[in-house]
Amino acid sequence: MTKLTNLPAWQQLQQHYEDTKDIHMREMFAQDSQRFEKFSLKLNDILFDYSKNRVTQETMDLLLQLAEQSDVAGLRERMFSGETINHTEHRAVMHAALRNKSEEPAYANGVRIDEEIKTELDRVKFLAEKIRSRHWLGHSNQPITDVVNIGIGGSNLGPLMVTEALHPYSIHDLEIHYVSNLDENHINNTLESLNPDTTLFIIASKSFTTQDTLVNAVTAKEWLMQKLHSESDLHKHLVAVTSNVKMAVEFGVKEENIFKMWDWVGGRYSLWSAIGLSIVIAIGAENFDALLEGAHEVDDHFRTAPLEQNIPVIMALIGIWYNNFYNAESIAVLPYDQNMHRFPAYLQQADMESNGKGCDREGASVDYSTGPILFGEIGIASQHAFYQLLHQGTKLVPADMLAPISNYHCIATHHRALMSNIFAQTEALMMGKTEDEVRAELTQQGMPEKELEDLLPYKIFPGNRPTNTFLFYTLDPKTLGSLIAMYEHKIFVQGAVWNLNSFDQWGVELGKVLARNILDEINTATPVTNHDCSTNGLINYYLSLKPIKDPN
Ligand code: F6P
């Protein structure tokens, strides 16, 4: 395979960057009144406007050539057809099969999987319906009022994000809680107001070996046992989702209460599987089907639309333009929908655990920049927090803005003000405010000359700050499914161009191994000397004070 930086399109893009880097987007818009029509795409309810980017038609053509020369389409086909593209773990990558309701058979690594997917989804829906209809009873014959999902990473962020985002579609006499943190505050705070008689725990862990989840699961079991007295009642309060059925059974979960997932679903791509059990309990089977349908439509679009009309492809290429040619270090994801408040955190794992890598698919170190630092928050709140840096800081931070045109419970006064803000921000970031404009404005306000000249530099906005805008009719299950799948495939395309395996995560292992060793050392409570002097110092300081804080 030709090295990425040797590809003709890469080299042409480098030259093109030099030729165009000083052109302001103001000029681009002034020269082309059709820019919005030219650089926006629509898929069902979702409008994707990418016209406020530092791109010309030539930029887009070269980026599309880069996608072709790095054979994005080839890897895409290998993924959809179930080949082992996660080569370091010998796994296929088949999350798209989880949302494919067609009668077509699906295969992972040559093994048929669609029937198993359907069986497991039916089991999930059956359990969810039993809980929602109050037919699932706890040990004292009371219906379940609270469900606690214990899991971390992909076994937490996806379900949590979707449950929050689809709050208006959720059942309201049932509370869904999420516990992920090993810090006991998380489970303590959650259990504080719960009643073991009416609480059901979902232990969600693909591997069933994750320390954080298992420690929380043990605490949950002990909390239940204080009230239950007999282990034989545990199954009324404990279910699991895992690909490691043996470990779940050993932990004490009844086999019939275990929902299966498979090694061909990556943790961060797993909300569509039984890991989404808490989502189905919250929003019901029909809404979950709509979520799957929305994602499936994007899978079809991604697989079949020409590259130049392919939303995930365009999202990815624009990201590469800034990441690799402008050397932008980060991207911001800024939803203008309060219910999407966990969307940036969810995408942080999806993107950074997938493409935060420095070794290519052939095992060589890359000599180009890969996955960006992704951060974000609710747009409106961020305007009053970090947008200052976006507007006038020295760093280039390309941003994605997302907003619903209407809301489930729409209050026109709120919503119009909200929309005016998103439009204003993308315009301000792009246009900025020139020295002449500031001077004219302050003069008109009657500001004395000296004061005006002193203040002037602070009031200039350079502009030329790129944004993508996603507008969708309302954040319903189908639209949310589509948005998530767009980002999943964006990440895929970037990984394909950067020649990464986006589906392993070896980088999380070292810390886990060291933590296990250090836990043994802490348990023996004798001062340590085998680490670097900083780590020795910290552990020994902790051990010296531990008796005060931790009588155990
Ligand atoms: O440590 C990272 C990770 O392996 C993620 O990839 C995964 O989503 C998370 O931990 C949880 O893993 P599991 O579902 O196996 O408990």
Side-chain angles (χ1 to χ4, degrees), residues 150-153 156 178-189 209-219 511-512 515-516 519:
I150 296 180
I152 198 160
N156 165 71
Y178 289 90
V179 171
S180 56
N181 200 333
L182 188 52
D183 173 6
E184 59 271 33
N185 284 326
H186 203 176
I187 193 151
N188 280 343
N189 296 350
T209 57
T210 305
Q211 183 194 41
D212 321 59
T213 300
L214 294 184
V215 170
N216 276 320
V218 168
T219 301
K512 286 186 193 176
R516 270 198 295 274
L519 179 60

PDB file of all heavy atoms in Angstrom, residues 150-153 156 178-189 209-219 511-512 515-516 519:
ATOM      1  N   ILE A 150     -25.064  -0.890  35.397  1.00  0.00           N
ATOM      2  CA  ILE A 150     -23.672  -0.789  35.867  1.00  0.00           C
ATOM      3  C   ILE A 150     -22.764  -1.181  34.706  1.00  0.00           C
ATOM      4  O   ILE A 150     -22.806  -2.318  34.225  1.00  0.00           O
ATOM      5  CB  ILE A 150     -23.435  -1.712  37.083  1.00  0.00           C
ATOM      6  CG1 ILE A 150     -24.296  -1.250  38.268  1.00  0.00           C
ATOM      7  CG2 ILE A 150     -21.961  -1.729  37.464  1.00  0.00           C
ATOM      8  CD1 ILE A 150     -24.130  -2.086  39.520  1.00  0.00           C
ATOM      9  N   GLY A 151     -21.980  -0.242  34.233  1.00  0.00           N
ATOM     10  CA  GLY A 151     -21.083  -0.513  33.106  1.00  0.00           C
ATOM     11  C   GLY A 151     -20.244   0.727  32.873  1.00  0.00           C
ATOM     12  O   GLY A 151     -20.530   1.794  33.428  1.00  0.00           O
ATOM     13  N   ILE A 152     -19.229   0.597  32.055  1.00  0.00           N
ATOM     14  CA  ILE A 152     -18.352   1.754  31.803  1.00  0.00           C
ATOM     15  C   ILE A 152     -17.940   1.788  30.332  1.00  0.00           C
ATOM     16  O   ILE A 152     -18.087   0.777  29.629  1.00  0.00           O
ATOM     17  CB  ILE A 152     -17.121   1.732  32.752  1.00  0.00           C
ATOM     18  CG1 ILE A 152     -16.448   3.105  32.822  1.00  0.00           C
ATOM     19  CG2 ILE A 152     -16.123   0.638  32.357  1.00  0.00           C
ATOM     20  CD1 ILE A 152     -15.570   3.305  34.041  1.00  0.00           C
ATOM     21  N   GLY A 153     -17.456   2.930  29.870  1.00  0.00           N
ATOM     22  CA  GLY A 153     -17.055   3.062  28.458  1.00  0.00           C
ATOM     23  C   GLY A 153     -18.261   2.825  27.575  1.00  0.00           C
ATOM     24  O   GLY A 153     -19.353   3.360  27.806  1.00  0.00           O
ATOM     25  N   ASN A 156     -21.662   2.039  28.922  1.00  0.00           N
ATOM     26  CA  ASN A 156     -22.317   3.103  29.690  1.00  0.00           C
ATOM     27  C   ASN A 156     -22.656   4.312  28.806  1.00  0.00           C
ATOM     28  O   ASN A 156     -23.799   4.773  28.781  1.00  0.00           O
ATOM     29  CB  ASN A 156     -21.387   3.549  30.834  1.00  0.00           C
ATOM     30  CG  ASN A 156     -21.805   4.856  31.457  1.00  0.00           C
ATOM     31  OD1 ASN A 156     -22.804   4.933  32.151  1.00  0.00           O
ATOM     32  ND2 ASN A 156     -21.039   5.901  31.215  1.00  0.00           N
ATOM     33  N   TYR A 178     -27.495   5.291  35.817  1.00  0.00           N
ATOM     34  CA  TYR A 178     -26.261   4.736  35.247  1.00  0.00           C
ATOM     35  C   TYR A 178     -25.130   4.902  36.255  1.00  0.00           C
ATOM     36  O   TYR A 178     -24.896   6.014  36.736  1.00  0.00           O
ATOM     37  CB  TYR A 178     -25.915   5.449  33.941  1.00  0.00           C
ATOM     38  CG  TYR A 178     -26.885   5.074  32.841  1.00  0.00           C
ATOM     39  CD1 TYR A 178     -28.052   5.810  32.629  1.00  0.00           C
ATOM     40  CD2 TYR A 178     -26.658   3.947  32.055  1.00  0.00           C
ATOM     41  CE1 TYR A 178     -28.955   5.436  31.650  1.00  0.00           C
ATOM     42  CE2 TYR A 178     -27.559   3.575  31.065  1.00  0.00           C
ATOM     43  CZ  TYR A 178     -28.697   4.317  30.867  1.00  0.00           C
ATOM     44  OH  TYR A 178     -29.600   3.941  29.900  1.00  0.00           O
ATOM     45  N   VAL A 179     -24.477   3.805  36.580  1.00  0.00           N
ATOM     46  CA  VAL A 179     -23.310   3.859  37.469  1.00  0.00           C
ATOM     47  C   VAL A 179     -22.111   3.352  36.681  1.00  0.00           C
ATOM     48  O   VAL A 179     -22.141   2.234  36.157  1.00  0.00           O
ATOM     49  CB  VAL A 179     -23.528   2.991  38.725  1.00  0.00           C
ATOM     50  CG1 VAL A 179     -22.235   2.875  39.527  1.00  0.00           C
ATOM     51  CG2 VAL A 179     -24.632   3.576  39.596  1.00  0.00           C
ATOM     52  N   SER A 180     -21.080   4.182  36.592  1.00  0.00           N
ATOM     53  CA  SER A 180     -19.895   3.756  35.851  1.00  0.00           C
ATOM     54  C   SER A 180     -18.626   3.880  36.686  1.00  0.00           C
ATOM     55  O   SER A 180     -17.712   3.078  36.564  1.00  0.00           O
ATOM     56  CB  SER A 180     -19.742   4.586  34.572  1.00  0.00           C
ATOM     57  OG  SER A 180     -19.705   5.959  34.884  1.00  0.00           O
ATOM     58  N   ASN A 181     -18.581   4.878  37.548  1.00  0.00           N
ATOM     59  CA  ASN A 181     -17.324   5.210  38.211  1.00  0.00           C
ATOM     60  C   ASN A 181     -16.995   4.235  39.327  1.00  0.00           C
ATOM     61  O   ASN A 181     -17.856   3.864  40.136  1.00  0.00           O
ATOM     62  CB  ASN A 181     -17.435   6.641  38.779  1.00  0.00           C
ATOM     63  CG  ASN A 181     -16.085   7.258  39.038  1.00  0.00           C
ATOM     64  OD1 ASN A 181     -15.107   6.549  39.279  1.00  0.00           O
ATOM     65  ND2 ASN A 181     -16.026   8.560  38.986  1.00  0.00           N
ATOM     66  N   LEU A 182     -15.718   3.892  39.372  1.00  0.00           N
ATOM     67  CA  LEU A 182     -15.202   3.037  40.442  1.00  0.00           C
ATOM     68  C   LEU A 182     -15.267   3.772  41.785  1.00  0.00           C
ATOM     69  O   LEU A 182     -15.370   3.142  42.852  1.00  0.00           O
ATOM     70  CB  LEU A 182     -13.748   2.718  40.067  1.00  0.00           C
ATOM     71  CG  LEU A 182     -12.912   1.727  40.808  1.00  0.00           C
ATOM     72  CD1 LEU A 182     -13.621   0.397  40.935  1.00  0.00           C
ATOM     73  CD2 LEU A 182     -11.611   1.519  40.035  1.00  0.00           C
ATOM     74  N   ASP A 183     -15.185   5.079  41.717  1.00  0.00           N
ATOM     75  CA  ASP A 183     -15.298   5.897  42.936  1.00  0.00           C
ATOM     76  C   ASP A 183     -16.647   5.603  43.601  1.00  0.00           C
ATOM     77  O   ASP A 183     -17.709   5.774  42.992  1.00  0.00           O
ATOM     78  CB  ASP A 183     -15.206   7.371  42.525  1.00  0.00           C
ATOM     79  CG  ASP A 183     -15.480   8.318  43.680  1.00  0.00           C
ATOM     80  OD1 ASP A 183     -15.622   7.847  44.823  1.00  0.00           O
ATOM     81  OD2 ASP A 183     -15.562   9.533  43.417  1.00  0.00           O
ATOM     82  N   GLU A 184     -16.591   5.191  44.856  1.00  0.00           N
ATOM     83  CA  GLU A 184     -17.801   4.750  45.550  1.00  0.00           C
ATOM     84  C   GLU A 184     -18.886   5.825  45.638  1.00  0.00           C
ATOM     85  O   GLU A 184     -20.062   5.524  45.870  1.00  0.00           O
ATOM     86  CB  GLU A 184     -17.465   4.205  46.952  1.00  0.00           C
ATOM     87  CG  GLU A 184     -16.758   5.182  47.892  1.00  0.00           C
ATOM     88  CD  GLU A 184     -15.233   5.140  47.760  1.00  0.00           C
ATOM     89  OE1 GLU A 184     -14.735   4.893  46.641  1.00  0.00           O
ATOM     90  OE2 GLU A 184     -14.542   5.372  48.775  1.00  0.00           O
ATOM     91  N   ASN A 185     -18.488   7.084  45.444  1.00  0.00           N
ATOM     92  CA  ASN A 185     -19.504   8.141  45.469  1.00  0.00           C
ATOM     93  C   ASN A 185     -20.598   7.878  44.446  1.00  0.00           C
ATOM     94  O   ASN A 185     -21.765   8.191  44.693  1.00  0.00           O
ATOM     95  CB  ASN A 185     -18.879   9.500  45.132  1.00  0.00           C
ATOM     96  CG  ASN A 185     -18.097  10.054  46.295  1.00  0.00           C
ATOM     97  OD1 ASN A 185     -18.482   9.841  47.448  1.00  0.00           O
ATOM     98  ND2 ASN A 185     -17.012  10.732  46.018  1.00  0.00           N
ATOM     99  N   HIS A 186     -20.208   7.317  43.304  1.00  0.00           N
ATOM    100  CA  HIS A 186     -21.195   7.155  42.234  1.00  0.00           C
ATOM    101  C   HIS A 186     -22.286   6.170  42.642  1.00  0.00           C
ATOM    102  O   HIS A 186     -23.476   6.473  42.557  1.00  0.00           O
ATOM    103  CB  HIS A 186     -20.499   6.706  40.944  1.00  0.00           C
ATOM    104  CG  HIS A 186     -21.285   7.024  39.704  1.00  0.00           C
ATOM    105  ND1 HIS A 186     -20.817   6.777  38.451  1.00  0.00           N
ATOM    106  CD2 HIS A 186     -22.522   7.567  39.525  1.00  0.00           C
ATOM    107  CE1 HIS A 186     -21.706   7.161  37.552  1.00  0.00           C
ATOM    108  NE2 HIS A 186     -22.760   7.636  38.191  1.00  0.00           N
ATOM    109  N   ILE A 187     -21.867   5.004  43.107  1.00  0.00           N
ATOM    110  CA  ILE A 187     -22.898   4.012  43.462  1.00  0.00           C
ATOM    111  C   ILE A 187     -23.593   4.412  44.767  1.00  0.00           C
ATOM    112  O   ILE A 187     -24.813   4.268  44.899  1.00  0.00           O
ATOM    113  CB  ILE A 187     -22.335   2.569  43.502  1.00  0.00           C
ATOM    114  CG1 ILE A 187     -23.500   1.576  43.547  1.00  0.00           C
ATOM    115  CG2 ILE A 187     -21.364   2.317  44.648  1.00  0.00           C
ATOM    116  CD1 ILE A 187     -23.234   0.240  42.923  1.00  0.00           C
ATOM    117  N   ASN A 188     -22.841   4.970  45.708  1.00  0.00           N
ATOM    118  CA  ASN A 188     -23.472   5.399  46.971  1.00  0.00           C
ATOM    119  C   ASN A 188     -24.557   6.439  46.709  1.00  0.00           C
ATOM    120  O   ASN A 188     -25.669   6.337  47.229  1.00  0.00           O
ATOM    121  CB  ASN A 188     -22.428   6.013  47.916  1.00  0.00           C
ATOM    122  CG  ASN A 188     -21.635   4.935  48.637  1.00  0.00           C
ATOM    123  OD1 ASN A 188     -22.060   3.772  48.681  1.00  0.00           O
ATOM    124  ND2 ASN A 188     -20.481   5.300  49.174  1.00  0.00           N
ATOM    125  N   ASN A 189     -24.213   7.445  45.902  1.00  0.00           N
ATOM    126  CA  ASN A 189     -25.193   8.501  45.620  1.00  0.00           C
ATOM    127  C   ASN A 189     -26.419   7.936  44.915  1.00  0.00           C
ATOM    128  O   ASN A 189     -27.540   8.389  45.132  1.00  0.00           O
ATOM    129  CB  ASN A 189     -24.594   9.595  44.730  1.00  0.00           C
ATOM    130  CG  ASN A 189     -23.452  10.319  45.411  1.00  0.00           C
ATOM    131  OD1 ASN A 189     -23.225  10.138  46.608  1.00  0.00           O
ATOM    132  ND2 ASN A 189     -22.723  11.124  44.665  1.00  0.00           N
ATOM    133  N   THR A 209     -14.852  -8.554  32.634  1.00  0.00           N
ATOM    134  CA  THR A 209     -13.605  -8.562  33.405  1.00  0.00           C
ATOM    135  C   THR A 209     -13.220  -7.139  33.818  1.00  0.00           C
ATOM    136  O   THR A 209     -12.171  -6.938  34.419  1.00  0.00           O
ATOM    137  CB  THR A 209     -12.432  -9.123  32.567  1.00  0.00           C
ATOM    138  OG1 THR A 209     -12.313  -8.327  31.389  1.00  0.00           O
ATOM    139  CG2 THR A 209     -12.643 -10.580  32.181  1.00  0.00           C
ATOM    140  N   THR A 210     -14.026  -6.159  33.450  1.00  0.00           N
ATOM    141  CA  THR A 210     -13.646  -4.765  33.706  1.00  0.00           C
ATOM    142  C   THR A 210     -13.755  -4.452  35.199  1.00  0.00           C
ATOM    143  O   THR A 210     -14.828  -4.586  35.802  1.00  0.00           O
ATOM    144  CB  THR A 210     -14.533  -3.810  32.877  1.00  0.00           C
ATOM    145  OG1 THR A 210     -14.431  -4.210  31.507  1.00  0.00           O
ATOM    146  CG2 THR A 210     -14.119  -2.369  33.024  1.00  0.00           C
ATOM    147  N   GLN A 211     -12.631  -4.053  35.782  1.00  0.00           N
ATOM    148  CA  GLN A 211     -12.551  -3.861  37.235  1.00  0.00           C
ATOM    149  C   GLN A 211     -13.640  -2.912  37.759  1.00  0.00           C
ATOM    150  O   GLN A 211     -14.344  -3.228  38.720  1.00  0.00           O
ATOM    151  CB  GLN A 211     -11.168  -3.293  37.588  1.00  0.00           C
ATOM    152  CG  GLN A 211     -10.931  -3.112  39.064  1.00  0.00           C
ATOM    153  CD  GLN A 211      -9.707  -2.231  39.345  1.00  0.00           C
ATOM    154  OE1 GLN A 211      -9.495  -1.227  38.660  1.00  0.00           O
ATOM    155  NE2 GLN A 211      -8.927  -2.613  40.341  1.00  0.00           N
ATOM    156  N   ASP A 212     -13.764  -1.774  37.092  1.00  0.00           N
ATOM    157  CA  ASP A 212     -14.718  -0.739  37.544  1.00  0.00           C
ATOM    158  C   ASP A 212     -16.119  -1.345  37.687  1.00  0.00           C
ATOM    159  O   ASP A 212     -16.812  -1.145  38.688  1.00  0.00           O
ATOM    160  CB  ASP A 212     -14.779   0.403  36.531  1.00  0.00           C
ATOM    161  CG  ASP A 212     -13.426   0.750  35.948  1.00  0.00           C
ATOM    162  OD1 ASP A 212     -12.791  -0.144  35.339  1.00  0.00           O
ATOM    163  OD2 ASP A 212     -12.994   1.885  36.115  1.00  0.00           O
ATOM    164  N   THR A 213     -16.520  -2.085  36.651  1.00  0.00           N
ATOM    165  CA  THR A 213     -17.878  -2.639  36.622  1.00  0.00           C
ATOM    166  C   THR A 213     -18.034  -3.749  37.657  1.00  0.00           C
ATOM    167  O   THR A 213     -19.047  -3.820  38.363  1.00  0.00           O
ATOM    168  CB  THR A 213     -18.160  -3.162  35.196  1.00  0.00           C
ATOM    169  OG1 THR A 213     -18.043  -2.055  34.304  1.00  0.00           O
ATOM    170  CG2 THR A 213     -19.539  -3.781  35.083  1.00  0.00           C
ATOM    171  N   LEU A 214     -17.013  -4.591  37.771  1.00  0.00           N
ATOM    172  CA  LEU A 214     -17.146  -5.719  38.698  1.00  0.00           C
ATOM    173  C   LEU A 214     -17.165  -5.258  40.152  1.00  0.00           C
ATOM    174  O   LEU A 214     -17.931  -5.780  40.978  1.00  0.00           O
ATOM    175  CB  LEU A 214     -16.040  -6.747  38.461  1.00  0.00           C
ATOM    176  CG  LEU A 214     -16.140  -7.446  37.092  1.00  0.00           C
ATOM    177  CD1 LEU A 214     -15.083  -8.514  36.948  1.00  0.00           C
ATOM    178  CD2 LEU A 214     -17.522  -8.056  36.866  1.00  0.00           C
ATOM    179  N   VAL A 215     -16.353  -4.263  40.478  1.00  0.00           N
ATOM    180  CA  VAL A 215     -16.351  -3.755  41.859  1.00  0.00           C
ATOM    181  C   VAL A 215     -17.728  -3.156  42.184  1.00  0.00           C
ATOM    182  O   VAL A 215     -18.309  -3.419  43.245  1.00  0.00           O
ATOM    183  CB  VAL A 215     -15.213  -2.720  42.058  1.00  0.00           C
ATOM    184  CG1 VAL A 215     -15.351  -2.002  43.384  1.00  0.00           C
ATOM    185  CG2 VAL A 215     -13.858  -3.413  41.970  1.00  0.00           C
ATOM    186  N   ASN A 216     -18.276  -2.384  41.249  1.00  0.00           N
ATOM    187  CA  ASN A 216     -19.620  -1.826  41.464  1.00  0.00           C
ATOM    188  C   ASN A 216     -20.678  -2.921  41.545  1.00  0.00           C
ATOM    189  O   ASN A 216     -21.623  -2.836  42.342  1.00  0.00           O
ATOM    190  CB  ASN A 216     -19.978  -0.854  40.334  1.00  0.00           C
ATOM    191  CG  ASN A 216     -19.430   0.534  40.586  1.00  0.00           C
ATOM    192  OD1 ASN A 216     -19.457   1.037  41.713  1.00  0.00           O
ATOM    193  ND2 ASN A 216     -18.922   1.170  39.539  1.00  0.00           N
ATOM    194  N   ALA A 217     -20.509  -3.967  40.730  1.00  0.00           N
ATOM    195  CA  ALA A 217     -21.497  -5.053  40.716  1.00  0.00           C
ATOM    196  C   ALA A 217     -21.499  -5.787  42.072  1.00  0.00           C
ATOM    197  O   ALA A 217     -22.560  -6.154  42.592  1.00  0.00           O
ATOM    198  CB  ALA A 217     -21.193  -6.017  39.586  1.00  0.00           C
ATOM    199  N   VAL A 218     -20.314  -5.983  42.641  1.00  0.00           N
ATOM    200  CA  VAL A 218     -20.231  -6.657  43.955  1.00  0.00           C
ATOM    201  C   VAL A 218     -20.945  -5.804  45.008  1.00  0.00           C
ATOM    202  O   VAL A 218     -21.733  -6.305  45.827  1.00  0.00           O
ATOM    203  CB  VAL A 218     -18.748  -6.917  44.344  1.00  0.00           C
ATOM    204  CG1 VAL A 218     -18.634  -7.336  45.795  1.00  0.00           C
ATOM    205  CG2 VAL A 218     -18.135  -7.958  43.414  1.00  0.00           C
ATOM    206  N   THR A 219     -20.706  -4.507  44.977  1.00  0.00           N
ATOM    207  CA  THR A 219     -21.361  -3.616  45.954  1.00  0.00           C
ATOM    208  C   THR A 219     -22.881  -3.668  45.780  1.00  0.00           C
ATOM    209  O   THR A 219     -23.633  -3.712  46.764  1.00  0.00           O
ATOM    210  CB  THR A 219     -20.844  -2.166  45.770  1.00  0.00           C
ATOM    211  OG1 THR A 219     -19.444  -2.192  45.963  1.00  0.00           O
ATOM    212  CG2 THR A 219     -21.485  -1.198  46.736  1.00  0.00           C
ATOM    213  N   GLY A 511      -2.339   1.009  31.570  1.00  0.00           N
ATOM    214  CA  GLY A 511      -2.816   1.558  32.840  1.00  0.00           C
ATOM    215  C   GLY A 511      -3.552   0.508  33.658  1.00  0.00           C
ATOM    216  O   GLY A 511      -3.425   0.442  34.890  1.00  0.00           O
ATOM    217  N   LYS A 512      -4.341  -0.333  32.953  1.00  0.00           N
ATOM    218  CA  LYS A 512      -5.109  -1.364  33.664  1.00  0.00           C
ATOM    219  C   LYS A 512      -4.175  -2.356  34.363  1.00  0.00           C
ATOM    220  O   LYS A 512      -4.379  -2.718  35.516  1.00  0.00           O
ATOM    221  CB  LYS A 512      -5.984  -2.156  32.678  1.00  0.00           C
ATOM    222  CG  LYS A 512      -7.193  -1.424  32.157  1.00  0.00           C
ATOM    223  CD  LYS A 512      -8.033  -2.388  31.325  1.00  0.00           C
ATOM    224  CE  LYS A 512      -9.088  -1.651  30.526  1.00  0.00           C
ATOM    225  NZ  LYS A 512      -9.861  -2.513  29.653  1.00  0.00           N
ATOM    226  N   ALA A 515      -2.423  -0.753  37.309  1.00  0.00           N
ATOM    227  CA  ALA A 515      -3.356  -0.536  38.427  1.00  0.00           C
ATOM    228  C   ALA A 515      -3.557  -1.837  39.209  1.00  0.00           C
ATOM    229  O   ALA A 515      -3.646  -1.817  40.444  1.00  0.00           O
ATOM    230  CB  ALA A 515      -4.687  -0.003  37.913  1.00  0.00           C
ATOM    231  N   ARG A 516      -3.617  -2.955  38.492  1.00  0.00           N
ATOM    232  CA  ARG A 516      -3.788  -4.251  39.184  1.00  0.00           C
ATOM    233  C   ARG A 516      -2.594  -4.526  40.095  1.00  0.00           C
ATOM    234  O   ARG A 516      -2.753  -4.914  41.248  1.00  0.00           O
ATOM    235  CB  ARG A 516      -3.932  -5.384  38.157  1.00  0.00           C
ATOM    236  CG  ARG A 516      -5.383  -5.640  37.746  1.00  0.00           C
ATOM    237  CD  ARG A 516      -5.537  -7.005  37.100  1.00  0.00           C
ATOM    238  NE  ARG A 516      -4.830  -7.142  35.836  1.00  0.00           N
ATOM    239  CZ  ARG A 516      -5.345  -6.776  34.652  1.00  0.00           C
ATOM    240  NH1 ARG A 516      -6.556  -6.248  34.579  1.00  0.00           N
ATOM    241  NH2 ARG A 516      -4.656  -6.928  33.549  1.00  0.00           N
ATOM    242  N   LEU A 519      -2.631  -2.168  43.056  1.00  0.00           N
ATOM    243  CA  LEU A 519      -3.675  -2.544  44.031  1.00  0.00           C
ATOM    244  C   LEU A 519      -3.132  -3.618  44.981  1.00  0.00           C
ATOM    245  O   LEU A 519      -3.345  -3.556  46.198  1.00  0.00           O
ATOM    246  CB  LEU A 519      -4.930  -3.031  43.303  1.00  0.00           C
ATOM    247  CG  LEU A 519      -6.085  -3.469  44.195  1.00  0.00           C
ATOM    248  CD1 LEU A 519      -6.570  -2.324  45.106  1.00  0.00           C
ATOM    249  CD2 LEU A 519      -7.269  -3.972  43.358  1.00  0.00           C
TER     250      LEU A 519
END
